Amino acid sequence: MDNNGPPYHKEGSPLPTTISKTEKQRSRSSSRSSVPSIFFAFFSCLAWLYIAGRLWQDAENRKVLSHLLMKNSAERPKVLTVEEKLMVLGCKDLERRIVESEMEISLAKSQGFLKDQLKQPGFSSSKKLLAVIGVYTGFGSRLNRKVFRGSWMPTGDSLKKLEERGIIIRFVIGRSPNRGDSLDRNIDEENRTTKDFLILDNHEEADEESSKKAKFFFSTAVQNWDAEFYIKVDNNIGLDLEGLIELLESRHGQDSVYIGCMKSGEVVSEVGKPWYEPDWWKFGDEKSYFRHASGSLLIISKRFAQYININSASLKTYAHEDTSIGSWMMGIQATYIDENRVCCSGSQQDKVCSLA
């Protein structure tokens, strides 16, 4: 047997140790190299998602910017020509002159220079009157008017004789919202027969416009009649004319009086309740009305009627006419007279009015 021959392996004998060590080293090296590859692939995906997101966001921003640029270019003010600038300046100058003219008219009205021009056709006030009494009425109150004419309110020749004594009585009404319709025509026809209306052509008759109606009534009355007192009466009030005339004559010469059944009370702030006042928050935390005359019957002097006429455009109105008139009186030197005889719902024996 040759000892120098090639080595051989007997069947069933263990593998050489050198071979098993080599394979283990290869498996370890391959597992070590796979870990960095996984991390690299993960971070590559994150980087790709980040870049893709930024590109999408940039594209959206470009769309938004493009839309804003188009919108701004459409709304960009037009460059005015010289002619257009002159036109704008002319309009501003015209507006200024209109304001100045209105101020001059107000001054002229206060000084009596426009008295004849402001009269309505068919009215005359050649002599000084004691009082103008305006009885509020509406389109649906024809029956009430008939009752008044058949009771305390004179008609025909009796009405003229009362005017000779210095007392003017007129039913006060505005115009229909649909100007010239059957409501207006019926009033015009009734007035042609009775001649006892004061029609407020510039006022739209409506229950919610009663405060504005007061401004129009006093303004129109003082423009058409030169009286010492101006009286507003509700359409559900009956009058003792002789008693009222006696009361007025006792106040003769008092040119700064505000006469009525004075009251105050809670301001209703809940929507939907009777007597709701939308401007309730203006009356303070206590929500209480200032002192004012009840709207059933109230009397003001001529100078206050003139004040309302001159300042009617700027006088604030509230939901109810009695509080509106009271607020106007607060701003001037008015002498408040709480007269029990004009408390129409009271039980006093010598009262001059009563609920009809």
Side-chain angles (χ1 to χ4, degrees):
M1 185 174 183
D2 190 357
N3 291 332
N4 296 325
Y8 63 90
H9 171 65
K10 287 187 179 180
E11 187 177 356
S13 62
L15 293 174
T17 57
T18 58
I19 296 175
S20 62
K21 288 180 179 178
T22 302
E23 291 177 349
K24 287 180 181 180
Q25 290 174 353
R26 288 177 180 174
S27 64
R28 289 195 189 103
S29 63
S30 63
S31 63
R32 287 174 186 160
S33 62
S34 63
V35 172
S37 299
I38 292 173
F39 279 106
F40 178 76
F42 175 72
F43 285 114
S44 297
C45 290
L46 288 179
W48 182 85
L49 290 173
Y50 173 76
I51 293 171
R54 287 301 302 270
L55 292 174
W56 177 83
Q57 187 176 10
D58 290 343
E60 289 298 314
N61 290 339
R62 282 195 295 272
K63 287 182 181 180
V64 173
L65 290 173
S66 176
H67 176 71
L68 291 175
L69 287 172
M70 292 178 64
K71 184 177 180 181
N72 289 337
S73 62
E75 295 179 354
R76 187 175 300 167
K78 177 185 175 183
V79 178
L80 298 178
T81 63
V82 175
E83 291 78 5
E84 290 171 332
K85 289 180 179 179
L86 290 174
M87 186 179 297
V88 171
L89 292 174
C91 290
K92 290 182 177 179
D93 181 63
L94 180 61
E95 182 180 3
R96 177 183 58 79
R97 283 185 286 171
I98 289 173
V99 172
E100 291 176 352
S101 299
E102 288 177 344
M103 294 174 65
E104 291 174 357
I105 290 173
S106 296
L107 179 61
K109 285 166 65 178
S110 67
Q111 297 174 348
F113 293 114
L114 300 182
K115 186 175 178 181
D116 293 334
Q117 289 84 343
L118 292 171
K119 288 181 182 178
Q120 293 186 2
F123 291 96
S124 174
S125 60
S126 57
K127 71 170 190 174
K128 182 77 173 183
L129 303 170
L130 178 61
V132 175
I133 303 173
V135 183
Y136 277 23
T137 190
F139 293 114
S141 301
R142 185 162 189 165
L143 181 60
N144 273 17
R145 294 193 291 271
K146 286 184 177 180
V147 172
F148 290 170
R149 293 186 185 111
S151 56
W152 61 266
M153 184 172 177
T155 58
D157 292 339
S158 298
L159 186 63
K160 291 181 180 179
K161 289 180 180 179
L162 186 65
E163 293 176 3
E164 291 174 359
R165 294 179 58 189
I167 304 295
I168 301 291
I169 303 179
R170 293 292 185 270
F171 288 112
V172 182
I173 192 169
R175 286 299 188 182
S176 168
N178 302 314
R179 188 61 64 96
D181 63 3
S182 60
L183 296 175
D184 281 344
R185 292 195 299 270
N186 290 339
I187 292 295
D188 290 336
E189 182 180 355
E190 185 179 348
N191 188 38
R192 280 191 291 269
T193 303
T194 60
K195 295 180 174 58
D196 57 4
F197 277 89
L198 174 60
I199 300 175
L200 307 175
D201 286 319
N202 295 324
H203 173 66
E204 185 176 297
E205 186 67 30
D207 290 340
E208 63 273 14
E209 300 293 340
S210 62
S211 297
K212 293 181 181 178
K213 186 174 182 177
K215 288 202 293 187
F216 280 103
F217 163 59
F218 287 118
S219 297
T220 307
V222 78
Q223 289 171 16
N224 287 284
W225 294 288
D226 181 15
E228 193 168 355
F229 302 102
Y230 295 83
I231 305 169
K232 177 262 170 180
V233 180
D234 273 347
N235 66 349
N236 62 341
I237 298 300
L239 287 181
D240 173 8
L241 272 179
E242 292 303 322
L244 180 59
I245 293 171
E246 181 185 349
L247 186 154
L248 295 174
E249 288 176 341
S250 69
R251 298 292 178 181
H252 177 69
Q254 299 180 9
D255 62 351
S256 301
V257 293
Y258 170 41
I259 306 172
C261 184
M262 296 297 171
K263 64 175 185 176
S264 60
E266 180 184 0
V267 180
V268 179
S269 59
E270 290 79 18
V271 179
K273 284 191 174 182
W275 311 108
Y276 168 66
E277 174 56 70
D279 287 327
W280 58 267
W281 56 275
K282 293 183 179 180
F283 294 89
D285 296 335
E286 299 297 326
K287 292 192 293 187
S288 179
Y289 281 120
F290 40 76
R291 204 75 169 161
H292 62 278
S294 169
S296 299
L297 191 157
L298 59 88
I299 306 167
I300 62 173
S301 297
K302 175 185 176 180
R303 61 179 297 194
F304 296 152
Q306 289 176 325
Y307 171 80
I308 294 171
N309 176 37
I310 294 168
N311 300 283
S312 59
S314 58
L315 290 176
K316 165 68 179 173
T317 57
Y318 293 98
H320 314 296
E321 63 174 341
D322 53 356
T323 54
S324 296
I325 296 172
S327 70
W328 307 336
M329 295 299 106
M330 288 181 67
I332 52 182
Q333 294 292 333
T335 301
Y336 283 59
I337 298 177
D338 186 9
E339 178 58 72
N340 290 330
R341 284 180 290 175
V342 298
C343 294
C344 304
S345 60
S347 59
Q348 189 164 329
Q349 294 295 325
D350 60 347
K351 64 182 181 179
V352 300
C353 60
S354 60
L355 297 177

